[in-house]
Amino acid sequence: MALVIKLSGRVFEDEELVYRYVEILKTIKEKICIVTGGGEIARRYINAARRGGASHTFQDLLGIYASRLNALLLISLLDDAYPEVPKSLEEVLRAWRHSRVVVTGGLQPGQSTATVAALVAEAVRASVLLNAANIDAVYTDDPRKNPAARRIAELKYGDLEKILNSSALPGGYELLDLWSLSILKRNCITTYIFDKNKPEYIAQVLRGENPGSRVTC
Amino acid sequence: MALVIKLSGRVFEDEELVYRYVEILKTIKEKICIVTGGGEIARRYINAARRGGASHTFQDLLGIYASRLNALLLISLLDDAYPEVPKSLEEVLRAWRHSRVVVTGGLQPGQSTATVAALVAEAVRASVLLNAANIDAVYTDDPRKNPAARRIAELKYGDLEKILNSSALPGGYELLDLWSLSILKRNCITTYIFDKNKPEYIAQVLRGENPGSRVTC
Amino acid sequence: MALVIKLSGRVFEDEELVYRYVEILKTIKEKICIVTGGGEIARRYINAARRGGASHTFQDLLGIYASRLNALLLISLLDDAYPEVPKSLEEVLRAWRHSRVVVTGGLQPGQSTATVAALVAEAVRASVLLNAANIDAVYTDDPRKNPAARRIAELKYGDLEKILNSSALPGGYELLDLWSLSILKRNCITTYIFDKNKPEYIAQVLRGENPGSRVTC
Amino acid sequence: MALVIKLSGRVFEDEELVYRYVEILKTIKEKICIVTGGGEIARRYINAARRGGASHTFQDLLGIYASRLNALLLISLLDDAYPEVPKSLEEVLRAWRHSRVVVTGGLQPGQSTATVAALVAEAVRASVLLNAANIDAVYTDDPRKNPAARRIAELKYGDLEKILNSSALPGGYELLDLWSLSILKRNCITTYIFDKNKPEYIAQVLRGENPGSRVTC
Amino acid sequence: MALVIKLSGRVFEDEELVYRYVEILKTIKEKICIVTGGGEIARRYINAARRGGASHTFQDLLGIYASRLNALLLISLLDDAYPEVPKSLEEVLRAWRHSRVVVTGGLQPGQSTATVAALVAEAVRASVLLNAANIDAVYTDDPRKNPAARRIAELKYGDLEKILNSSALPGGYELLDLWSLSILKRNCITTYIFDKNKPEYIAQVLRGENPGSRVTC
Amino acid sequence: MALVIKLSGRVFEDEELVYRYVEILKTIKEKICIVTGGGEIARRYINAARRGGASHTFQDLLGIYASRLNALLLISLLDDAYPEVPKSLEEVLRAWRHSRVVVTGGLQPGQSTATVAALVAEAVRASVLLNAANIDAVYTDDPRKNPAARRIAELKYGDLEKILNSSALPGGYELLDLWSLSILKRNCITTYIFDKNKPEYIAQVLRGENPGSRVTC
């Protein structure tokens, strides 16, 4: 079984959290591809570029470079990982052929790392995507703004699409964007969304539990 | 001024049409990047792969390879073009730095060549995208199925988004998909959509005319 | 034992034939490198380029791109194949190191895929080359033009050289050209030439039979 | 005349300072290659890797990735710069051939960005290296620890070597290490060392002034 | 006008001869691509590999590496040359786009540097190939063995083909092999063959003289 | 256990010596990375470039190319080696992941192959570096000039540093330069220095003996 794990870039703002992820990841026996976000550093450089008048393409490339820094840190701490950060989907496939563990960051301007995770899951024919997110589950609305927002443990991709369409952009982006959804759906990949601050949830998902939300096709 | 021209892959099913495009392209003085679709050959190989059980990733890669064949044919016929087909947005930027004319095909699984054209337009900071499409303009509905469909000469990206959302997938795909729309919109690039069988429309657009539909932000 | 199998590009004009090859190839236990020709698509694009005044270099590159499309289709259908189409002999060697099955197309302008197959056979130190050709065996002359042409089951490279030298260019090209012959000869590789429409002949050759012609040094 | 400018990674901790550098850099007419350090982000990731048991090689690679993030930010803000961050000295030479402005970060584990700057200066045959450093000039000792340390405006490479040899490692490292010194010396390149917080010093050096220290062979 | 100049690897066994070639090459105003052979070093390493049981592929690669050493020496001495040795015909085309002077060595196992020169001439659409050879002209037979061998100043490709076919392999190889002949012929490129010890012959050829043999289509 | 073996480029001036190394290397069971120097050929090309006015960068690149020729010869003679010569430390790591035996030459201008060996040892986390040198052990002074020079069997990196600092440049360079020392020291790698003319010393070192000098941290 092939697994894809998406780690929010925010994980890398807390060194101890990174080490805890490394411990969990070392216990996994399956083939895994980990996709890292860019986090705070990405945001800072993108802002500096935008304020200075840089194109969207370069803004996105800066986010990609930041996510690769996170990917390389993880590689350096995992003994088994492919020693390079792949720079395209073809390089992911090549690395995947040689290593049980592959870690990648962003791949191309104009796409979120959620979409990278979906594309990678499709490429390695993963049946499950674990999304360690900045939110602990899918809600009917943004729970930080709307106290009446209801948590949803089980949902279909169609349901999630509706929620993302109705909500404001930034909140939706943190989970999965529409493009990533369409890729996950066409491959019928099950996605688990859970709180990035609980690395132990990865083990729970592998045991069949659902610590956050599960999205199925 | 930088121009991006998207040529439907179907252009390449008619050799004479290709030569007519070459004649027009040779008269353009501006810096241009041409993005070619995969056309019939792409469809044939994607079908063969899908029927044989290949992953979506490989299906898309076959489409990309077919689009690169079209790109290379154009390169071989234009004296001025960068001599290679770029394989990533970074390679497009590098080629763009060196050549007045760059021709590229698809770049990554999971995205249409319309999206490639939008990403390229963003990267080279083009203000205009010319889309030589399989349809002669934007309509309120698919004109091949709905005789009451009305042709729209001038529209906003928001209008096009609504039309694409309401219509069936394949028809929408032929014009621009939602992802490409969002990129064009965030850069406020003007898109011209016109009949791919009329290469002379490129010259008309450059003279300020609108032979099909014009989408603005 | 390492095997090299050359598949005429024409195989890829018939989807069912491709699937039948895939079935046979999946049963082979040996390390194999498959070299695909460009077929009809190659011919079409080369003609379009030549008529439009493109250089021989670009004409040949178009043939190479077409052959890579065929190679990628095969890769997408074989579970075990190296996930990329090598673009040079060094890349073939690298892929060969990692995978039991490697599929490649053309490598360089100015050489036939028959020559690629011979160079690959030399590089991987194969003892046998299987050539699924557009003709069912070697004949003393072109059997389509000369009804008195005699089929030859067993011959030496020297004999084949004489036949190719005396016959018109196109017919000879379909089998093996002189350059590929000299490479096969200097490595004393045994070549089997047989009808591309009979994938089962591959199994026959592996059992020690000779369904077409066998060329030895 | 070719110039090499080394920017301390700390410059990139202050967005406004970056913009001020961009303004100055845009006024330079000469061919320039800018080498960026990794700064705070490099230090943070290197520490995280070391504490987690990563090899020196990966620690250094993390520093290189951080310096490339800084290089890319600068590229995104300069209209004229080569659009990619070179990853080897050969790539620097290639970019240099095509662009008036090249920006690079670290190149290889085991070497400081000061050494990169020296190697680049040698490769592009620059006669001058401008080092925007974390200190405002060369001193006889570390001025933060020894109040009797004396500032030196003009010195020879031999003098600097002695100072670096006698001082503790970190202070020396901030200026130039011994390896970079030996490269600068063998090419007889003049180095200016000045306070990184004063971008205007670049203009002063170009006018023939010496706002910090000047090291000659 | 584009020129291709093939320099025998033996040129590089005599440092002074190399400098004399550099002087002549610096006076040429045309776009030129120089192809260097491997010479004595190539022969020595190929022999060592063969005696040690290496494959033909590696023997040829060693010859290619040696020829690239010669190419790089020339690049280092010419101020204007593209700073890298291209490793494929596509890289030659890319370098050619950027530089007036490109220097390359061998490209692929299984082909002579004469063939590389012919392929390069075809790719850059050169009308003339200058071959600074180990012999001062074409002869009817090997003049070192047959004192009756007659020197031929003007000949057709067909004539040269017959001479090469009738003579022993090594002598033919030193001039042009059959594969390179067929490429030169199909592009109707005029080839000058002259003594490699006379760099001044290059200037003579450019003035319209024929100091050795001229082969035309 | 991972081993790094540095072979003086002079080994490659004696074919029989190369074959004897190949025999020894084939008996090693550990993972090994071999780093080859450039030897006589490097010296010859560097001199030719320097006399002709080439930059230090190109002089060093010529040395690197020569060392890669030696590396490739070794690869061609070892059945198990990774089939390419890595061109950067990242490529060494990638090759190392796939092969028990990796052979590399120089990597970057401005560094000795001794430094490459140290960087490689650090990257693959080797505990031992075997240095087959042009001298049979470390001496208190250059034994060819000072007959009173005393041979030292066991020493610390600090001791070697002092000897290298006090001796003339060329003699020191032949063993290990200061940069390589600092890398070996920070990783606490044990270095064996012994006479390059005795390949059997490699086996002795692996049995725990010390045929020349042993440097420890």
Side-chain angles (χ1 to χ4, degrees), chain A residues 70-108:
Chain A
N70 291 334
L72 190 67
L73 177 58
L74 218 49
I75 289 170
S76 80
L77 298 174
L78 292 166
D79 307 321
D80 258 13
Y82 190 76
E84 287 174 286
V85 184
K87 291 184 175 43
S88 68
L89 216 48
E90 281 102 327
E91 284 187 33
V92 170
L93 277 176
R94 198 194 304 159
W96 182 256
R97 198 165 175 83
H98 301 311
S99 291
R100 196 182 57 75
V101 183
V102 174
V103 191
T104 191
L107 295 179
Q108 204 195 49

Side-chain angles (χ1 to χ4, degrees), chain A residues 12 15-16 19 41 44-45 48-49 51-52 54 58 61-62 65-66 68-70 72-73 76-77 83 85 87, chain D residues 12 15-16 19 41 44-45 48-49 51-52 54 58 61-62 65-66 68-70 72-73 76-77 83 85 87:
Chain A
F12 296 87
E15 222 165 281
E16 301 308 321
Y19 296 151
I41 295 175
R44 183 146 74 80
Y45 277 77
R51 279 190 51 217
F58 274 118
L61 281 172
L62 285 163
Y65 270 49
R68 286 178 182 161
L69 191 58
N70 291 334
L72 190 67
L73 177 58
S76 80
L77 298 174
V85 184
K87 291 184 175 43
Chain D
F12 297 87
E15 222 166 282
E16 302 309 321
Y19 297 151
I41 295 175
R44 184 147 72 82
Y45 276 78
R51 278 189 52 216
F58 275 118
L61 280 172
L62 285 163
Y65 271 48
R68 286 178 182 161
L69 191 57
N70 291 333
L72 190 66
L73 177 58
S76 80
L77 298 174
V85 184
K87 291 183 175 44

